[in-house]
Amino acid sequence: MTDGAATQVAHVLVAADKFKGSLTAVQVAERVTAGLRRVVPELTVETLPVADGGDGTVAAAVAAGFERREVRVTGPLGEPVTAAFALRGTTAVVEMAEASGLQLLPPGVFAPLTATTYGSGELLRAALDAGATTLVFGVGGSATTDGGAGMLAALGARFLDAAGEPVGPGGAPLADLATADLSGLDPRFASVDLILASDVDNPLTGPKGAPAVYGPQKGATPEDVQVLDAALAHFATVLEKTIGSRAAEAAVAPGAGGAGGIGYGALILGASFRPGIELMLEVLGFAPALERATLVITGEGSLDEQTLHGKAPAGVAAAARAAGKEVVAVCGRLALPPEALGAAGIRRAYPLTDLEPDTAKCIANAGPLLETTASGIARDFLS
Ligand SMILES: O=C(O)[C@H](O)CO
């Protein structure tokens, strides 16, 4: 079948995010390319792995030509981990999930109340030490819900309880916070450009806040969510007493609730918020690649309601539609009706579950299934 743009299509841009749990964004691009070329061997395919600020953001920057720099930092459970940031000239892409991400926890282990973002602060400092003056701070995919307190502590802030002792790591101990002292924060933040690239636009607390919406995926029970929500609200109140109304404004600003509230911490540091995918498309050089393309293939592991709220495929499709380009999507699983896809600018989606309905087998064989799926796209659109 020829499903549309067909015979004129000569230049395909593959700009997809990872399939979480099975393929990195780079592997997705490789598999799609291989599947397309199986049907149209001479096809021009350009790949631009994308990310929305969450895990995979540094990998996408490295694939786009940034240099990978590794540092030893403190992991979410306090253990040492190796984390990377990406550097090109004086621009660094720092991904909080590299230091404080869910993927760093051992299988089945969660620490919703005590996981810390301390290592994210160490990673930001390493990027400054490397000479970065623009910091693109990608947040999402975190193990933490500490409002960025750990990150701020690593950068020189002091958070003390009533006895004058530092409060413990994580979100829950912030309930004991009596005083905050931000005077020791790394002075370089006054002059660098810190941009918060968040995968979500939630506020810090409340029904749409970080604990309520994203706490459960980090192992928080309903009781834990209440504890964390109250602790983060208290954290914001203490910071308001310390630095004034700016702290209260930050708590309700879009992105404050990104990655367990590290977005809030970044705003306290002076960050400006940008939707992660929008900013990353700029950083990765998407616009010129889009100009050359006649068909765009985007995607991610699950195309669902969350996709429409600023995830990578929605950002790619919106930009491609604005440029008048045809977009199709690949995904592991599809939970959106055709109308919702159409409204997002996606002509058609190809879920791997169409080829392998058994979820476990589908995940285990995602690579070969994706190649076969891409061959189907080539037959539908390119032959
Ligand atoms: O890390 C998280 O909490 C989610 O990805 C939202 O940012």
Side-chain angles (χ1 to χ4, degrees):
M1 175 187 96
T2 295
D3 200 350
T7 46
Q8 316 95 312
V9 172
H11 189 127
V12 178
L13 172 62
V14 184
D17 201 344
K18 66 195 165 293
F19 282 22
K20 208 170 194 151
S22 53
L23 298 170
T24 65
V26 172
Q27 290 168 331
V28 169
E30 286 168 356
R31 292 292 190 163
V32 170
T33 304
L36 293 172
R37 289 223 171 104
R38 232 193 258 162
V39 177
V40 188
E42 311 308 335
L43 187 69
T44 304
V45 184
E46 190 171 351
T47 58
L48 192 82
V50 295
D52 57 16
D55 45 316
T57 294
V58 161
V62 170
F66 281 64
E67 184 195 335
R68 183 182 161 89
R69 296 277 186 105
E70 289 187 352
V71 208
R72 287 294 272 177
V73 297
T74 307
L77 303 179
E79 75 295 8
V81 296
T82 300
F85 64 91
L87 188 68
R88 183 161 66 189
T90 54
T91 298
V93 174
V94 179
E95 172 191 321
M96 79 80 69
E98 279 279 322
S100 320
L102 208 44
Q103 86 283 359
L104 296 171
L105 299 181
V109 172
F110 292 107
L113 302 177
T114 54
T116 178
T117 56
Y118 196 90
S120 293
E122 294 173 310
L123 201 53
L124 282 169
R125 206 177 47 219
L128 289 176
D129 291 346
T133 53
T134 298
L135 297 172
V136 175
F137 188 34
V139 316
S142 64
T144 53
T145 308
D146 75 350
M151 171 192 70
L152 292 169
L155 292 169
R158 299 188 73 218
F159 300 118
L160 306 177
D161 64 17
E165 295 296 324
V167 295
L174 291 171
D176 298 328
L177 184 65
T179 55
D181 177 4
L182 302 189
S183 63
L185 275 177
D186 192 317
R188 290 175 290 182
F189 283 96
S191 53
V192 299
D193 195 10
L194 175 64
I195 312 162
L196 170 63
S198 177
D199 65 338
V200 300
D201 60 4
N202 302 63
L204 182 63
T205 56
K208 294 204 160 125
V213 180
Y214 304 105
Q217 75 193 28
K218 304 169 199 183
T221 63
E223 295 73 38
D224 293 341
V225 165
Q226 279 182 18
V227 167
L228 289 166
D229 200 64
L232 292 191
H234 177 66
F235 180 44
T237 305
V238 174
L239 285 193
E240 190 182 349
K241 283 189 195 131
T242 314
I243 58 167
S245 60
R246 193 168 78 71
E249 285 155 22
V252 294
I262 203 171
Y264 171 72
L267 293 169
I268 294 294
L269 270 180
S272 52
F273 166 74
R274 290 276 306 276
I277 182 61
E278 195 183 293
L279 178 60
M280 286 309 296
L281 290 181
E282 260 172 52
V283 170
L284 300 173
F286 180 72
L290 179 62
E291 211 167 293
R292 294 186 284 271
T294 45
L295 174 69
V296 178
I297 302 179
T298 188
E300 67 176 337
S302 174
L303 279 189
D304 52 31
E305 266 303 311
Q306 279 206 23
T307 308
L308 304 178
H309 295 285
K311 294 285 183 183
V316 167
R321 179 165 54 185
K325 308 290 170 141
E326 185 107 83
V327 182
V328 297
V330 288
C331 56
R333 129 185 200 280
L334 176 64
L336 288 174
E339 311 78 63
L341 289 172
I346 297 172
R347 167 92 178 265
R348 184 167 162 191
Y350 293 76
L352 302 188
T353 50
D354 274 3
L355 300 178
E356 176 51 79
D358 182 298
T359 310
K361 285 188 189 154
C362 192
I363 291 173
N365 296 314
L369 290 170
L370 186 54
E371 275 192 40
T372 307
T373 298
S375 296
I377 295 175
R379 280 189 288 273
D380 288 349
F381 283 84
L382 305 171
S383 54

